[in-house]
Amino acid sequence: MEVREEEITIVCGVGHYAKSSCGLYKPYPKEMVRLTLRDCDRDVSRYLQGLKLSGGRQTICHPAADSEGSLISYRIGLFSFDPSITVCPYHPYTLGIQWKPSRKCCFPSHKGMQKPQRAVSKEMSQNILHTMGVLVVIGEGKPNYICLIAILSLINPIYFCRQSV
């Protein structure tokens, strides 16, 4: 007996936090198992290198994410990793290592179409969420220098004053 895609309803915890629909991932329709973030244990080091999130302060001691599960967790705004959250077959592909960043600046108050210079780190994503109430996911395009100054002035006014002197 063949099961139609419309008959399968899969709901997960990630979908609740991400406010997106759950279900099957069309390129892999036979994957129907709901996992936990603990089970999403693929290595993300090469993926993070491709996003330029593995150098500088983001070293082996403080990686942007240590597994695909923690990367998914950070991308939905849960910065304290909870390995028991469930994940449908759709979300590891759309929020994990197959996720692609936007080609324009992601700073919430910036409406320009400039190309980003780098990717947003976990710390920057947390700070933007805390100060502006907008989630900018890890790996999204970091703004140009002028937007970066605006972000830093929101996060730390002392830093902005030192740089502008």
Side-chain angles (χ1 to χ4, degrees):
M1 185 174 142
E2 188 176 316
V3 179
R4 291 182 163 191
E5 189 176 325
E6 295 84 34
E7 296 173 7
I8 299 171
T9 304
I10 300 173
V11 179
C12 71
V14 170
H16 171 74
Y17 289 105
K19 296 178 179 67
S20 65
S21 59
C22 299
L24 302 176
Y25 189 60
K26 288 186 181 182
Y28 305 105
K30 292 184 181 179
E31 289 187 17
M32 296 185 210
V33 179
R34 191 172 64 170
L35 306 169
T36 62
L37 287 177
R38 179 183 299 110
D39 299 326
C40 299
D41 58 357
R42 287 195 276 188
D43 181 33
V44 293
S45 57
R46 287 214 159 184
Y47 174 73
L48 294 174
Q49 284 175 346
L51 292 175
K52 297 180 176 61
L53 278 175
S54 58
R57 288 184 27 213
Q58 309 270 345
T59 62
I60 295 171
C61 299
H62 301 286
D66 57 358
S67 70
E68 189 173 29
S70 60
L71 182 65
I72 292 168
S73 176
Y74 302 154
R75 283 188 172 154
I76 60 174
L78 297 177
F79 295 102
S80 56
F81 179 63
D82 180 0
S84 65
I85 294 176
T86 56
V87 184
C88 68
Y90 179 74
H91 287 113
Y93 294 105
T94 57
L95 296 170
I97 61 174
Q98 290 189 356
W99 176 88
K100 303 264 190 281
S102 172
R103 293 181 182 233
K104 63 178 184 172
C105 177
C106 64
F107 185 59
S109 66
H110 187 227
K111 304 294 186 233
M113 296 294 289
Q114 294 176 324
K115 283 179 99 174
Q117 294 177 347
R118 293 189 191 124
V120 169
S121 67
K122 175 186 169 188
E123 291 81 14
M124 185 171 274
S125 179
Q126 281 179 300
N127 288 334
I128 293 171
L129 180 62
H130 178 72
T131 57
M132 300 186 80
V134 177
L135 177 65
V136 177
V137 297
I138 292 176
E140 194 65 76
K142 187 188 274 186
N144 63 24
Y145 182 72
I146 294 170
C147 291
L148 189 58
I149 295 289
I151 292 170
L152 292 173
S153 69
L154 287 171
I155 296 167
N156 188 356
I158 295 167
Y159 177 85
F160 181 67
C161 294
R162 282 189 207 147
Q163 293 298 321
S164 60
V165 173

